[in-house]
Amino acid sequence: QVQLVESGGGLVQPGGSLRLSCVASGFTLNYYTIGWFRQAPGKEREGVSCISSSDGSTYYADSVKGRFTLSRDNTRNTVYLQMNSLKPEDTAVYYCAAGLFGPCGHQLSPYNGMDYWGKGTLITVSS
């Protein structure tokens, strides 16, 4: 059974850090483009970061560049998103997704090429 499970969300103060995990089962994660997306209340889901299956290159949206770091552990079939210097505007439900032919880069989109989705984990950045 194909499954993606996110964890690591919670409440954090502005300037704080969190690390999200996305564990894949039923498929080999490194054969897929893995993307992190987020959806804030009342807003559309947007791409945050991704890692390409072809060369392991990573992409970050401008809003998180320099603060978030995506990494992949093939032995654990897991992708991580380290989030530092969190801001209130980072508050959202964060989802990981996998796409066999999903693009990784400026084309990253929840509407393009993602085959499997996790159920999401909520991050609230507030004092």
Side-chain angles (χ1 to χ4, degrees):
Q1 181 182 0
V2 171
Q3 200 172 15
L4 288 169
V5 179
E6 305 96 335
S7 63
L11 173 65
V12 63
Q13 292 187 341
S17 297
L18 283 174
R19 187 177 80 156
L20 302 184
S21 299
C22 172
V23 181
S25 58
F27 68 102
T28 302
L29 188 146
N30 64 309
Y31 293 156
Y32 287 71
T33 290
I34 305 300
W36 282 99
F37 300 82
R38 67 185 182 186
Q39 188 165 18
K43 294 189 176 181
E44 284 199 13
R45 195 170 297 188
E46 62 176 357
V48 173
S49 180
C50 55
I51 183 165
S52 169
S53 61
S54 59
D55 60 4
S57 59
T58 54
Y59 162 82
Y60 300 94
D62 287 344
S63 57
V64 306
K65 198 173 294 182
R67 301 187 297 123
F68 290 11
T69 303
L70 189 156
S71 61
R72 185 176 64 197
D73 184 340
N74 293 336
T75 64
R76 296 179 183 271
N77 219 27
T78 300
V79 168
Y80 303 97
L81 187 68
Q82 177 67 43
M83 304 183 296
N84 299 329
S85 303
L86 283 161
K87 305 175 181 180
E89 51 263 42
D90 294 319
T91 294
V93 178
Y94 283 71
Y95 301 88
C96 67
L100 190 58
F101 301 108
C104 181
H106 290 287
Q107 312 96 312
L108 179 66
S109 166
Y111 310 109
N112 182 20
M114 292 297 158
D115 305 308
Y116 309 120
W117 286 85
K119 294 183 178 180
T121 185
L122 175 64
I123 293 175
T124 303
V125 185
S126 175
S127 54

